[in-house]
Amino acid sequence: MHPRLFRHLASRLLVLSRSRGLHRLLQPRLLVPDARLVSHSTVDPTEVRKFQALAGKWWDEHGQLGALHAMNDLRVPFIRDNLLNTLSVRQMGRPLTGLRILDVGCGGGILTEPLARLGAEVLGIDPVEDSVRIAELHGSRDPALRQLVRYKAVSLEELAEEEEKRFHAVIASEVLEHLADLNTFIECCHHILQPGGSLFITTINRTQMSYFLGIILAEQVLRIVPSGTHDWEKFISPVELETQLESSGFSVQCIRGMLYNPLFGVWSWQQSTSVNYALHAVKQTEDPQPEREKDERGKD
């Protein structure tokens, strides 16, 4: 965000805070080590209810979920390029052909569909059944997606128990800040990935800046997202996340800062990770990297 724009927004917020008593909100509580209760379930019923109310709005690109649509401009190339670099392959046309990807917390399929259009076989899962139905309905309109995309209304831990075939990549974009149990989530991601498989995460850092921009500004002033969407105490810093991943059998490859410009509706890469960030980690293994599956569909 341009410094002049930031100063302008800050001054506006200061006026609002004095007139509406918002100054108290600018002083978030000191964080306990992890605000999540250890439940051994990744699903938080409170979060499910929040997204149940949003289920019909997933494909309104100019509505309350518009920032997620705009984020595809960064996260799709981030996933694609890191996968290709990790697997050391180059293929023209649909570069992710032969790869199996799991999109956790897929919602209405905003990220699932563009990954499938790059050739990947993508399974989208979400605990909100109405969101899954919306995703299925939207995807059914494109014949090119029918052989590449599947959806399930299931939690990650339930899928980990039933899915025999492992994935080349797991995506959790804007999901961690809504989980009930982060440790269970990481364990399930590790279990369901192939040796050498990739984990991609986008989430929000836990800083005063993220509280200002992500909750006060985005939810209560500009109303980019519905009020109450985020709980600041569930945000996690890159250092904390990297530590948990490294201790769970992952090797973190890169972390990049992201920032949303609400005036222009665009995301950009930033050196700072003080608000949003993207992370790529690889499941550690001494075995060879997972081989791409042959695209039998292309031989028909």
Side-chain angles (χ1 to χ4, degrees):
M1 182 179 294
H2 193 279
R4 185 176 298 174
L5 173 61
F6 181 82
R7 287 194 297 270
H8 173 71
L9 292 173
S11 64
R12 296 270 301 182
L13 182 62
L14 182 60
V15 173
L16 285 168
S17 68
R18 289 171 175 169
S19 62
R20 301 182 185 180
L22 291 178
H23 60 283
R24 296 185 183 90
L25 296 176
L26 290 173
Q27 298 177 351
R29 292 171 290 170
L30 291 176
L31 183 75
V32 296
D34 193 336
R36 303 169 179 84
L37 294 176
V38 178
S39 63
H40 303 295
S41 170
T42 61
V43 179
D44 184 335
T46 302
E47 299 288 347
V48 171
R49 287 192 291 270
K50 290 180 187 177
F51 285 95
Q52 183 74 39
L54 293 170
K57 302 178 181 180
W58 283 108
W59 288 97
D60 181 1
E61 296 187 25
H62 303 289
Q64 293 176 315
L65 299 172
L68 289 180
H69 286 269
M71 189 184 286
N72 279 355
D73 290 342
L74 293 190
R75 59 185 177 176
V76 172
F78 180 76
I79 293 167
R80 178 199 63 203
D81 295 346
N82 279 289
L83 274 176
L84 295 181
N85 289 335
T86 300
L87 296 172
S88 300
V89 294
R90 289 290 184 273
Q91 182 170 322
M92 299 298 293
R94 301 197 297 176
L96 301 186
T97 296
L99 299 185
R100 297 185 73 243
I101 295 177
L102 175 64
D103 183 10
V104 182
C106 65
I110 293 174
L111 179 57
T112 315
E113 289 192 10
L115 292 175
R117 290 192 177 93
L118 292 175
E121 180 184 332
V122 189
L123 171 61
I125 64 170
D126 200 289
V128 180
E129 291 188 13
D130 286 353
S131 293
V132 171
R133 300 290 87 80
I134 291 293
E136 290 175 333
L137 177 62
H138 192 273
S140 68
R141 299 170 182 169
D142 186 347
L145 297 177
R146 292 174 186 169
Q147 301 299 318
L148 294 172
V149 174
R150 293 184 299 127
Y151 293 102
K152 284 186 177 182
V154 67
S155 69
L156 177 60
E157 58 270 23
E158 290 170 337
L159 183 74
E161 291 180 357
E162 67 182 46
E163 188 75 18
E164 295 182 359
K165 203 171 184 181
R166 297 187 179 183
F167 294 87
H168 295 92
V170 172
I171 317 296
S173 186
E174 306 307 291
V175 168
L176 266 60
E177 59 270 25
H178 303 290
L179 295 175
D181 189 335
L182 181 59
N183 290 331
T184 296
F185 170 83
I186 293 175
E187 290 173 3
C188 291
C189 287
H190 189 273
H191 172 76
I192 209 163
L193 274 170
Q194 290 190 13
S198 289
L199 173 62
F200 294 95
I201 292 171
T202 68
T203 190
I204 310 175
N205 196 350
R206 192 182 62 255
T207 62
Q208 289 189 344
M209 181 67 75
S210 71
Y211 192 85
F212 171 79
L213 293 180
I215 295 182
I216 300 299
L217 192 63
E219 295 187 14
Q220 300 178 19
V221 178
L222 299 180
R223 300 193 182 279
I224 298 170
V225 294
S227 179
T229 297
H230 296 112
D231 178 350
W232 184 80
E233 291 188 353
K234 280 189 172 183
F235 295 174
I236 184 169
S237 73
V239 173
E240 293 169 330
L241 182 56
E242 181 174 7
T243 299
Q244 289 201 41
L245 289 171
E246 295 277 355
S247 66
S248 300
F250 286 96
S251 174
V252 174
Q253 304 297 298
C254 68
I255 300 174
R256 299 189 66 181
M258 307 163 64
L259 191 65
Y260 182 64
N261 186 323
L263 294 185
F264 296 99
V266 297
W267 289 85
S268 60
W269 293 117
Q270 304 284 319
Q271 289 187 342
S272 172
T273 59
S274 61
V275 185
N276 295 79
Y277 63 95
L279 178 148
H280 172 220
V282 172
K283 179 177 177 179
Q284 293 179 337
T285 176
E286 295 181 358
D287 298 329
Q289 293 178 341
E291 295 182 359
R292 294 159 62 94
E293 297 169 4
K294 293 181 179 179
D295 184 16
E296 298 297 337
R297 293 179 297 276
K299 297 181 179 180
D300 294 339

